[in-house]
Amino acid sequence: MKSLILASAALAMATGLALADGHEKTVRMGTEGAYPPYNFINDAGEVDGFERELGDELCLRAELTCEWVKNEWDSIIPNLVSGNYDTIMAGMSITDERDQVIDFTQNYTPPAASAYVAASEGVDLVGGVIAAQTATIQAAHVADSGATLVEFATPEETIAAVRNGEADAVFADKDFLVPIVEASSDTLMFTGDDVPLGGGIGLGLRESDTELKDKFDAAISSMKEDGTLNEMIIRWFGEGTLTF
């Protein structure tokens, strides 16, 4: 763990948007790189996906120089707060609990449905064993539902748990599950009703970075107003996806 002095120094650097030579500092964009189509690592070893394209466009409109940093999901908020990077773009839903620790821009996707996927029909979603990724709104929902929750560090592990019989079903963002089900050759299927959760996905920042938040909010607003955000959502998630 970084010492208090180092963490404080990182925070001080993060809140200053300009360097001594007058040039803006590079904004470090934190992501998981393991949640397609939102974010993933492509064959070239680079961050890719909807949020990579969106983040690059937001940085362009905000006139910011940005670079991408990969971080595991379970430490993505603590490492933002400690100054390892300046933003989170990682399919993170806006929730009251998270908003007590970090700040969020306005949402760049509307509140989307979460869904259950199983290897067979007739799964008990209330009394059964349900897999979800650690520290997600889906994990919290399963814990409150009465089902037995098994948590995993990565989304891939939640799918594997269903395939190997460790879990009866997985509960996750439907946008993430759709391409997996479609590619499963009918070995995986949706079951039960969709569940709306959260306030949409937003860009996370430290609460002290108000100027940076304002820049990204303005960029998101401009993309909503000119229709390019909706075009990007449809291109990555398909026709019929909820847009603004």
Side-chain angles (χ1 to χ4, degrees):
M1 180 178 293
K2 296 183 185 295
S3 69
L4 180 59
I5 294 175
L6 288 175
S8 298
L11 285 170
M13 290 176 63
T15 53
L17 289 179
L19 296 174
D21 62 3
H23 293 88
E24 287 191 345
K25 78 178 192 74
T26 297
V27 177
R28 297 158 298 171
M29 309 284 280
T31 192
E32 183 186 14
Y35 205 60
Y38 291 96
N39 57 84
F40 57 90
I41 304 301
N42 62 26
D43 292 339
E46 299 174 342
V47 173
D48 205 338
F50 165 69
E51 286 171 317
R52 173 61 193 265
E53 183 180 356
L54 174 60
D56 286 350
E57 178 64 22
L58 293 176
C59 289
L60 180 65
R61 293 186 183 219
E63 300 182 343
L64 297 169
T65 300
C66 299
E67 66 180 18
W68 290 86
V69 179
K70 184 177 177 294
N71 195 94
E72 293 183 357
W73 175 262
D74 59 0
S75 61
I76 203 164
I77 288 179
N79 284 345
L80 169 70
V81 174
S82 66
N84 289 19
Y85 34 82
D86 305 303
T87 73
I88 295 173
M89 284 194 77
M92 182 172 284
S93 296
I94 301 168
T95 67
D96 291 339
E97 182 180 10
R98 289 171 179 154
D99 200 32
Q100 293 175 7
V101 181
I102 62 174
D103 205 353
F104 284 97
T105 62
Q106 62 180 292
N107 59 356
Y108 54 77
T109 69
S114 296
Y116 293 93
V117 163
S120 61
E121 297 179 351
V123 171
D124 184 356
L125 301 177
V126 177
V129 178
I130 309 298
Q133 188 177 14
T134 302
T136 59
I137 57 174
Q138 288 83 15
H141 177 81
V142 173
D144 292 338
S145 72
T148 299
L149 169 66
V150 287
E151 295 182 88
F152 295 90
T154 68
E156 290 87 354
E157 289 174 298
T158 65
I159 302 298
V162 175
R163 293 186 186 277
N164 64 29
E166 188 176 354
D168 298 313
V170 55
F171 186 56
D173 286 318
K174 189 170 186 179
D175 290 334
F176 165 71
L177 294 171
V178 166
I180 293 173
V181 172
E182 290 177 347
S184 72
S185 301
D186 296 326
T187 60
L188 295 174
M189 62 197 69
F190 287 102
T191 184
D193 296 327
D194 291 352
V195 182
L197 294 175
I201 293 172
L203 195 149
L205 309 95
R206 286 179 290 273
E207 292 185 336
S208 59
D209 283 344
T210 55
E211 183 179 350
L212 188 58
K213 176 180 180 293
D214 289 345
K215 287 175 179 287
F216 278 116
D217 266 329
I220 294 169
S221 291
S222 73
M223 291 189 69
K224 288 180 177 179
E225 290 167 2
D226 67 19
T228 54
L229 181 53
N230 282 345
E231 292 173 4
M232 194 177 294
I233 290 172
I234 291 171
R235 185 165 65 254
W236 279 99
F237 298 100
E239 294 288 345
T241 303
L242 190 63
T243 57
F244 293 101

